[in-house]
Each structure stands twice: as C-alpha cells, then as structure tokens.
Amino acid sequence: MMMRAAVGLWVLSAVTCVSSANSVSLVSEANEAFSFRLYRQLAAHADSQGKNIFFSPASVSAALAMLSVGAQGETHHQLFSGLGFNSSLLTQTDVDQAFQTLLQRANNTSQEDASEGTAMFVDDYFKPKPEFLQTLKQSYFADGFNVDFNKTTESADAINKYMEEKTNGKIDKLVEDVDANTVMYLISYVYYKGKWATPFDPELTKEDDFNVDENTKVPAVMMNLEDTLHAYQDQELNTTVLQLPFNSSYYMLLMLPDIMVTLENAICPNHVTKWLKAMSPRRYNVDIPKFSIKTSYKLNDVLSEMGMTDMFGDRAIFTGISEEEGLFVSDLVHQATLDVEAEAEAEAAASTRSSSIELTTALPAPIPVKFNRPFMVIITESNTEKILFLGKIINPII
Ligand SMILES: *[C@@H]1O[C@H](CO)[C@@H](O)[C@H](O)[C@H]1NC(C)=O
Ligand SMILES: *[C@@H]1O[C@H](CO)[C@@H](O)[C@H](O)[C@H]1NC(C)=O
Ligand SMILES: *[C@@H]1O[C@H](CO)[C@@H](O)[C@H](O)[C@H]1NC(C)=O
Ligand SMILES: *[C@@H]1O[C@H](CO)[C@@H](O)[C@H](O)[C@H]1NC(C)=O
Ligand SMILES: *[C@@H]1O[C@H](CO)[C@@H](O)[C@H](O)[C@H]1NC(C)=O
Ligand SMILES: *[C@@H]1O[C@H](CO)[C@@H](O)[C@H](O)[C@H]1NC(C)=O
C-alpha cells in the first residue's frame, strides 16, 4: 500500500493492552466475512475471468485495518464498514487491540513454517504522527524503516529485499518502481510452507484430464492419496468438501462443487463452520492436480467497488497519519503464491494441522473424490480459524 503526497523521523514504543474477548470475536468474525465478500468481488471482476484466484484475506484485512488507524471522517467510515466492523459496537481502538490479540495468537501457534507480519517504510522527509506509528508498532507489530523515496531504485530494492527475506524468496518483486512522491509503504504479508500430514506418493502421480469447462480439457498432473480423511457432502450447495491436514495445526479445505457459481455466490463463514462440524472420517481415495499459483492484484478498483473509494483520491482524509495535506493511497497491491506438490510439501505465501484425525481400524472401500474440475481452496489454522488463503483453481496448468 503506497501513500503518495509530499514528505521522517519516528519514535516507537510498546505498551501491552488487554482487549475484551468480545471485540476479538467481533473482529475475527468480520474478517472472515470480509474474506468471502472480497473473494466474490475479485471473482466478478473482468480481469479475473478465466483465471485462477488466490489471495490472503488475512493479510488484506490487516493492511486495511492499519490504514484505518490513520483515517478519519468519511475515509475512516468507508474503511470501517468495508471491513465489516460495526461502529456502534467497535471503536478503532477495539479493532487495534483485537488485531494485537489475533496476531499474537497466530504467532504463538505458528511453527517455523509460517511467517506473517506487517512493515512500514516511511520516507525520510515525511513526519507521521507518533501516535500512528506507535499504534502500528504496538497493535500490528509493524516493523518500521526509514527510506529515501527520492532514491527510487534503492528504496524499491530495500522493500523487495525485506519481503524476499520474510517470505523465503516467494515474494520478490513486490515493488517495481517507486514514485518519488511516495511517502509511505504499508506492507502486510503471510508466508506458509506446509508439509502434508500424509504425503502423496509420487509413484501414484499420473497425467490425467482436468475439465476446465464442459468443452475444455487440459492435461493435468494428478496426485493420488488413499487415507482416512474428514469430508462432507453439502446437499444444499451440491459440493464435496474435503479437509487435508498439514503436519501442523494448519489445514487445507478443498471444495468441489457441481456448479462453481452456486458455491461461489453462496459461500460464507457459516458454511465453513457447518462443514467442519459435520465432517466425519472415512477412507477416501483422492485425486488432486499438482498446481502452483502466483497472483498479483492491484486492489484499488475492487476495494472501491466495495465502498472504499475515498482513500484513493483527493477526498482521502488521513489526518491521523500526518497533518500533511493531500495524502492518499496510490496503489494497493496484493501478491500471493501457492505450490501444491506430491512430495509432501505445500508452500503458500502472500505477502497456513488439522482437527485431530480419528483413525479407524477397519478399512472399508475408499470413496473416490476426483478434483478434476474447478474447485475452491481455503488454507486455515485450526486454533485461530483465520483464513490465511482463499482461492479458486479453474485450470491447474495456467
Ligand atoms: C450494528 O450493531 C447494532 C447494535 O447491535 C445493530 O442494531 C445494527 O444493526 C448493526 N449494524 C449492522 C450494519 O450490522
Ligand atoms: C512472535 O514470536 C517471536 C519468537 O517467540 C517473537 O520474537 C516475536 O516478537 C513475536 N511476535 C509477535 C507479533 O508477538
Ligand atoms: C502468547 O504466548 C505468550 C508467552 O507464551 C503469552 O504470554 C501470551 O498471553 C500468549 N498470547 C496469546 C494471545 O495467546
Ligand atoms: C525529496 O523530495 C522531496 C519532495 O519531493 C523534497 O522536498 C526533498 O528535498 C527531496 N530530497 C532530496 C534529498 O532530494
Ligand atoms: C443439487 O443437485 C440436485 C440433484 O441434481 C438438484 O435437484 C438441485 O437443484 C441442486 N441444487 C443446487 C443448489 O444446485
Ligand atoms: C510431522 O512432524 C513430526 C514432528 O514435528 C515429525 O516427526 C514427522 O516426521 C513429520 N511428518 C511428516 C510426514 O513430515
């Protein structure tokens, strides 16, 4: 996220605040609902037609919440309601404290295979308000750096190098060129490298057709696994939901609908809750295509369409960041990558163990589930239930 205008020094300190459990759950429910709203908006966008979708809702909502810290008036109102925060129940301070708790919780449960955080790069000549910097540091654990954005190449290199280190090289060219008018970059990232709890046997991997649509088949590399897994058949949405645990507290949910738009238009946090509750362990024989995705979105249009318009233009009010006039968000860019492979590993980055598996002793005939047509994926962590990644694979070979 890039703020443009003219014009650094900043002081940080840390204080620990305790927030009520109630606002934490209000914020995390709002974040979950925001995930699916953002998904639908992205999916409906002309640029997304015929493309896979993959993004990190957790990282986008953290970035927008940081921005709302410094927003006021209508700009703040739009960000707040766009994120789904009810201003008669939550203040910005409640939201900040809830993020602090949620980010700490995520940090406490994540192993070394996950990395998530935020950073801000502030121009040497720009003087943000100390309160703003303090809130970002204290509640969003933002790393802070001073850079000279007039030196466009060096400052872009500094940001890209930071992201590369934090995401094991998975996100490298976040910033292509810096506008000399940039005063601040806010960055929120998530990187996840998972190992499947039960690895796919590379020997069973074979080439097979993937049905992109009724008339289009593409040759995909299909991985195969036979195991006791949790799954659910949603009769209302005509969708098979399968939970594939990583060897940690993270898991992937794969949703295979009869008709993609039926699922896409309806999916909401209540469905996920229902599926997880209703899932039961059985023997399954699963075919999943090997795929990797790297997406990059400029979210200005999508967020504007969701009502967050003012921040991108001359109506923006960011007087909580600085008294400086004319501050606005010039670019809101989001990148995410995911690799799914047979050899026991999955890697996902954006700028994600499972609920326990009950092993049955008897081995009934496994139920086949073939992900050989478009499906949706969610990567989440079982303690926080935070949606780290959300996406749709319509073609595994693009
Ligand atoms: C916000 O919360 C209030 C009080 O619970 C409720 O009356 C109102 O309908 C809520 N607004 C929205 C938009 O959900
Ligand atoms: C996360 O944990 C690491 C190591 O335990 C610690 O250094 C870091 O400050 C923590 N970050 C947050 C956001 O709590
Ligand atoms: C995270 O862990 C630390 C130390 O183990 C503990 O003090 C803190 O309360 C935990 N935070 C949350 C949100 O679970
Ligand atoms: C950088 O640009 C700002 C505004 O464009 C200007 O005020 C400042 O003097 C420039 N700094 C250098 C070192 O050129
Ligand atoms: C689900 O499938 C059944 C049987 O094919 C069909 O009657 C029903 O309309 C479908 N439901 C939806 C929501 O598409
Ligand atoms: C899963 O993790 C445990 C302990 O962290 C390790 O001993 C085991 O080898 C891992 N299994 C796989 C399949 O990586």
Side-chain angles (χ1 to χ4, degrees):
M1 203 175 298
M2 181 157 80
M3 309 279 307
R4 204 188 263 175
V7 224
L9 172 117
W10 44 285
V11 186
L12 304 167
S13 75
V15 182
T16 309
C17 300
V18 182
S19 59
S20 79
N22 188 36
S23 59
V24 173
S25 58
L26 285 173
V27 168
S28 72
E29 281 161 21
N31 288 345
E32 261 195 85
F34 173 76
S35 307
F36 297 106
R37 285 205 311 279
L38 179 56
Y39 173 88
R40 271 189 279 280
Q41 201 71 38
L42 270 176
H45 219 260
D47 293 349
S48 305
Q49 300 315 309
K51 291 192 186 144
N52 296 327
I53 291 178
F54 191 70
F55 69 103
S56 169
S59 136
V60 175
S61 48
L64 293 173
M66 289 202 292
L67 201 56
S68 76
V69 172
Q72 270 155 9
E74 182 60 17
T75 306
H76 184 264
H77 174 74
Q78 289 177 0
L79 278 163
F80 224 61
S81 51
L83 285 165
F85 302 143
N86 184 334
S87 56
S88 49
L89 303 173
L90 290 166
T91 63
Q92 181 67 44
T93 305
D94 294 331
V95 169
D96 299 340
Q97 293 176 359
F99 267 94
Q100 180 173 4
T101 305
L102 293 167
L103 291 168
Q104 263 171 349
R105 218 181 261 166
N107 195 45
N108 281 8
T109 51
S110 71
Q111 289 80 14
E112 66 268 10
D113 48 8
S115 147
E116 126 173 63
T118 56
M120 55 188 163
F121 291 82
V122 180
D123 188 78
D124 288 337
Y125 294 88
F126 180 64
K127 295 202 185 339
K129 291 186 170 171
E131 315 83 275
F132 174 72
L133 296 173
Q134 186 173 324
T135 304
L136 259 54
K137 186 76 190 164
Q138 183 180 303
S139 297
Y140 298 86
F141 305 96
D143 276 344
F145 303 95
N146 275 98
V147 285
D148 181 354
F149 284 122
N150 292 18
K151 297 182 179 149
T152 54
T153 313
E154 279 107 325
S155 51
D157 285 352
I159 298 171
N160 289 333
K161 190 159 171 278
Y162 175 84
M163 284 313 298
E164 219 175 306
E165 273 169 20
K166 290 289 181 181
T167 63
N168 275 354
K170 284 287 158 185
I171 292 177
D172 43 7
K173 296 266 184 314
L174 183 73
V175 182
E176 300 241 333
D177 49 350
V178 172
D179 187 307
N181 291 323
T182 302
V183 294
M184 184 166 67
Y185 258 95
L186 287 182
I187 291 169
S188 165
Y189 62 88
V190 186
Y191 166 71
Y192 176 69
K193 182 178 196 301
K195 275 188 163 53
W196 296 116
T198 311
F200 290 84
D201 181 351
E203 304 253 300
L204 299 177
T205 299
K206 58 179 192 304
E207 207 169 278
D208 205 350
D209 285 344
F210 187 93
N211 305 289
V212 173
D213 58 41
E214 276 173 12
N215 308 311
T216 318
K217 290 184 198 310
V218 295
V221 178
M222 297 295 268
M223 312 184 291
N224 178 270
L225 174 72
E226 192 176 310
D227 198 8
T228 302
L229 296 166
H230 282 72
Y232 179 70
Q233 181 64 36
D234 191 309
Q235 305 291 355
E236 181 202 332
L237 298 173
N238 289 345
T239 296
T240 306
V241 184
L242 177 78
Q243 187 185 44
L244 268 191
F246 292 107
N247 195 17
S248 65
S249 60
Y250 296 84
Y251 58 87
M252 187 185 277
L253 278 185
L254 296 117
M255 292 145 282
L256 183 70
D258 284 356
I259 301 167
M260 181 54 84
V261 288
T262 306
L263 172 66
E264 276 183 314
N265 290 342
I267 190 170
C268 71
N270 291 346
H271 288 113
V272 178
T273 308
K274 178 178 94 175
W275 296 334
L276 291 172
K277 273 206 191 109
M279 276 181 173
S280 53
R282 290 275 310 258
R283 292 293 296 178
Y284 288 93
N285 187 301
V286 183
D287 285 308
I288 299 177
K290 215 170 176 168
F291 61 90
S292 64
I293 314 176
K294 186 164 187 149
T295 56
S296 181
Y297 298 104
K298 181 167 166 175
L299 294 176
N300 300 30
D301 289 350
V302 166
L303 294 174
S304 293
E305 286 154 17
M306 293 172 78
M308 295 172 263
T309 47
D310 283 9
M311 64 175 168
F312 297 112
D314 53 16
R315 297 165 66 96
I317 310 173
F318 285 113
T319 40
I321 299 181
S322 160
E323 291 303 346
E324 186 112 22
E325 302 227 335
L327 275 183
F328 68 99
V329 177
S330 56
D331 272 317
L332 213 155
V333 176
H334 181 67
Q335 288 188 12
T337 72
L338 173 70
D339 295 315
V340 171
E341 294 190 17
E343 291 73 29
E345 285 195 12
E347 286 197 42
S351 95
T352 202
R353 182 187 145 132
S354 76
S355 52
S356 65
I357 294 238
E358 293 156 40
L359 287 168
T360 50
T361 45
L363 296 178
I367 302 167
V369 187
K370 271 176 160 276
F371 289 85
N372 60 357
R373 58 175 195 269
F375 58 93
M376 285 183 70
V377 279
I378 291 177
I379 298 178
T380 188
E381 202 273 332
S382 54
N383 300 301
T384 56
E385 296 299 350
K386 184 154 87 175
I387 301 177
L388 286 194
F389 299 96
L390 176 60
K392 168 173 75 166
I393 309 300
I394 62 166
N395 184 342
I397 64 164
I398 53 170

